[in-house]
Amino acid sequence: MHKLATMLCVISVSLAAQWANRPTPGIPRTPDGKPDLSAAAPRTADGKPDLSGVWAVRNGNSFFHITGDLKPEEIRSWAAAIYQQREDDFRRDTDGIACLPPGPKAGFAVGAAPMKILQLPNLVAVLYEYHTIFRQIFTDGRGLPKDPNPTWMGYSIGHWEGDTLAVTSAGYNDRTTLDLAGHPHTEALRVTERYRRRDVGHLDLQVTFDDPKAYTRPWTIPVEFDLIPDGELIEYICEDRDKPHLVGKMSGEEFRVPAEVLAQYTGTYEGPAFPVATVSLEGSRLMIALGETGKIPLIARSDTSFTMEGTGVDFVRDAKGAVAAMIQHWTEGDRNLVRRK
């Protein structure tokens, strides 16, 4: 019961709670003082759409895998082999587990962690809550470096095409992954992003990945962001939290949980700013879907503890013994979700 009470206390804290009663200037308001998220997108003095704000990706864990449009033969054999090894080892050697910078996936594939855009003349700065890092997009007409020293976050330049900010990034090192699932990339990776602020409360993004040394063709994914009005980023420091929960490839038999116990865990689990987790029982296997992702198997470690491709998942019972909550042990911290049905 103590665990559940602590969890309910934690999930009641919001971003805005860090700075109470500090509405963000410039956001249009309805007569009752609430942000008007459907109002026209704001513009800067030069007439360009202003992308500034604190943004959270919608259904962040929908991007656990970003290669869904690729056929198996469009992933080069060495890249497919590395991905398969990482899947077998539950991502133990990926940047997120090692507390390293996320590279090209920083803005959309790190779950619920928001970002803050600051649009200035000749520069767009992006601050990421994940790892408390930043990125600079130069809009002063310069080109990309011809022979860059590879970096974690790459080098980015941008220009306006009507109301769309088109960004090209290159110069990444090859020590990060394209997604949390562990798909690799090389230093030849080039990423193109197209940002368009639909209105006050919504930001649309198209991301194209082009890495001919790892994949046979480019592909594009759509990303939607929601404004977090009157919110701010908070500090995040990675402390290798997931490693005790990562067990690597199965050796020996999986812990056997009776089917009647597994059935008690099925249902929908919700938490603020986290994708809804839906747990189902297929045969003798629990499956979990985060937001709109596909189903991921839950591997049993005990009657109440499981792993989800390396991420620990614990089910919590209340004082009466009923399953009441779920705790997901992600690198960026525990995610506490309450069972709704």
Side-chain angles (χ1 to χ4, degrees):
M1 185 64 178
H2 175 69
K3 276 188 177 180
L4 182 58
T6 301
M7 182 198 73
L8 292 173
C9 178
V10 169
I11 65 176
S12 67
V13 179
S14 67
L15 286 171
Q18 306 300 319
W19 298 95
N21 302 317
R22 296 291 299 181
T24 302
I27 293 182
R29 307 275 167 174
T30 59
D32 60 0
K34 295 181 179 179
D36 185 356
L37 301 181
S38 62
R43 293 183 178 269
T44 58
D46 61 2
K48 298 290 191 298
D50 190 350
L51 308 182
S52 299
V54 178
W55 300 95
V57 65
R58 184 176 298 174
N59 294 328
N61 282 95
S62 298
F63 303 103
F64 190 92
H65 297 269
I66 66 162
T67 58
D69 287 344
L70 294 179
K71 299 176 181 177
E73 61 270 21
E74 294 174 330
I75 303 177
R76 300 200 183 277
S77 58
W78 71 265
I82 287 179
Y83 168 74
Q84 186 60 56
Q85 183 62 52
R86 288 172 174 166
E87 185 177 54
D88 290 343
D89 288 342
F90 297 138
R91 304 181 288 119
R92 289 177 68 93
D93 68 339
T94 58
D95 52 84
I97 303 304
C99 285
L100 297 172
K105 62 180 174 295
F108 61 89
V110 290
M115 66 179 184
K116 184 174 186 176
I117 296 179
L118 302 173
Q119 186 170 323
L120 307 169
N122 299 322
L123 177 71
V124 175
V126 187
L127 313 180
Y128 298 103
E129 183 170 290
Y130 187 77
H131 280 281
T132 315
I133 56 177
F134 69 93
R135 174 181 170 214
Q136 299 180 92
I137 302 170
F138 294 97
T139 56
D140 56 3
R142 72 179 70 185
L144 287 170
K146 294 186 181 298
D147 186 21
N149 179 41
T151 65
W152 294 99
M153 301 300 291
Y155 302 83
S156 300
I157 58 172
H159 66 276
W160 288 94
E161 297 178 1
D163 286 347
T164 298
L165 178 65
V167 179
T168 303
S169 301
Y172 297 98
N173 67 36
D174 60 2
R175 298 178 62 188
T176 65
T177 61
L178 293 179
D179 52 21
L180 293 179
H183 288 97
H185 66 84
T186 73
E187 292 182 356
L189 174 67
R190 181 174 288 243
V191 179
T192 302
E193 301 158 279
R194 297 180 63 83
Y195 293 87
R196 181 177 180 274
R197 189 166 188 173
R198 196 187 328 155
D199 53 27
V200 164
H202 305 91
L203 180 68
D204 296 326
L205 170 63
Q206 297 279 331
V207 187
T208 300
F209 301 90
D210 187 4
D211 186 352
K213 292 185 178 181
Y215 306 92
T216 63
R217 67 170 178 87
W219 75 99
T220 301
I221 63 171
V223 186
E224 292 181 280
F225 294 89
D226 294 324
L227 183 72
I228 304 178
D230 306 331
E232 290 292 350
L233 304 185
I234 57 177
E235 184 181 67
Y236 157 70
I237 303 297
C238 183
E239 298 179 298
D240 286 343
R241 290 189 180 189
D242 268 0
K243 287 193 173 180
H245 302 278
L246 301 181
V247 295
K249 191 172 182 178
M250 288 290 298
S251 57
E253 293 187 1
E254 176 184 356
F255 188 89
R256 300 182 69 84
V257 182
E260 59 269 21
V261 175
L262 294 177
Q264 296 173 24
Y265 299 137
T266 61
T268 300
Y269 298 78
E270 299 178 354
F274 301 140
V276 173
T278 303
V279 178
S280 58
L281 181 60
E282 300 187 3
S284 60
R285 168 74 64 204
L286 275 185
M287 306 293 289
I288 186 170
L290 304 178
E292 298 177 358
T293 62
K295 296 179 180 179
I296 302 170
L298 287 173
I299 308 300
R301 298 299 166 195
S302 73
D303 280 337
T304 59
S305 295
F306 298 76
T307 59
M308 171 183 61
E309 292 196 331
T311 296
V313 176
D314 293 332
F315 291 96
V316 181
R317 295 181 182 273
D318 61 21
K320 296 181 179 180
V323 177
M326 169 196 296
I327 304 175
Q328 301 170 5
H329 302 284
W330 291 82
T331 301
E332 64 269 27
D334 290 351
R335 297 183 183 178
N336 302 284
L337 296 90
V338 176
R339 188 182 188 192
R340 297 303 184 194
K341 59 180 180 179

